[in-house]
Amino acid sequence: MVAATADKSRRTPFIGTLPGVVLACLASCFLWGSAFPCVKIGYELFAVDAADVPSILAFAGTRFVIAGLMVVAGMSVVRRRAFLPGRRDLPAIGTLSLFQTVLQYVLFYVGLANCAGVTSSILEASNSFLCVLLAALVFRFERLTGRKVLGCLVGFAGVVLVNVTGESGGLSFTLEGEGMVLASTLAAAASSNLAKRFSREHDPVLLSGWQFVLGGAIMLVAGLAAGGHVAPADATNPAPAFMLLAYLGFISAAAYSLWSLALAANPVSRVAVFGFMNPVFGVLLSAVLLSETNVVSPAVAVAALVLVSLGIVIVNRPEKP
């Protein structure tokens, strides 16, 4: 019995341990948090108006195609062979692409153009709640316990605090605005659970990379067909625009690959609760990169970080035997 237990522990990958999942998830959330200010900078460098949904979709589609190709190229080098999907991988790639890239981001960008930033940030954070609920009630991966609900509530309180105390506007709800953002979070939560399910029979990194290629291509074609554009505003010096676009692609490639590996090796609730760090990192990095120091006070930012961290600790505490 002891030998079997020791053998099982040796087979556990580092990302399946508590230190491993903490490092992977915090790295993912930091990268996603940096996307908030970098996308704003990208809109300026590519002359994309916030209300120009076709150009936003084309811009996002280009970013995701780049992200997918980065994953495919990188893994091809690492494995010394073409990192291509097999026929049995295609249904999983198509399903995951539909929820994780196409539905999530189309609904989000359309909704974001019609709602307040504060409300959208809070609704976006509800993704972690929905992940846990879907994992327990729909996909049956794990039990829904009071500890998990309490941890999500505490983490969610930190997200609400960092948003409602800023100067981004008040709370509101409309079907074409906040309703679309909420639908996008449901698609994102479903994609996390689908990634967990598919990882049992498919390489999670392969699924992550190729679903980006497929979903990004769909968004790019749809955006261009609707009249959108993807071209640097300064044609005489396009390097900064293309470098930023490459970094945005790297964000998605690295963050989603790490997140997919974490989901494959851990309970969904353990991973999902880290999603509350996304808007907190977003606010902090926006203050640094965009000089938006008046958005939230340092005291509020620290309090939000404490609440989110406490929520993560509560969810990841081991169950009593």
Side-chain angles (χ1 to χ4, degrees), residues 9-10 14 25 55 65 116 155 206 239 261 306 312:
S9 65
R10 284 197 298 270
F14 176 67
C25 290
S55 292
V65 169
L206 182 141
L261 290 171
V306 170
I312 292 171

Side-chain angles (χ1 to χ4, degrees), residues 6 17 26 47 67 77 85 87 92 104 130 138 152-153 161 171 177 192 219-220 224 238 252 256 266 272 282 291 300:
T17 65
L26 286 182
V77 172
R87 182 177 297 180
Q104 179 185 178
L130 294 173
V138 177
C152 286
L153 285 172
L161 178 65
L171 300 177
S192 292
M219 293 177 68
L220 175 59
L224 294 177
S252 297
Y256 271 109
N266 297 274
S291 301
V300 170

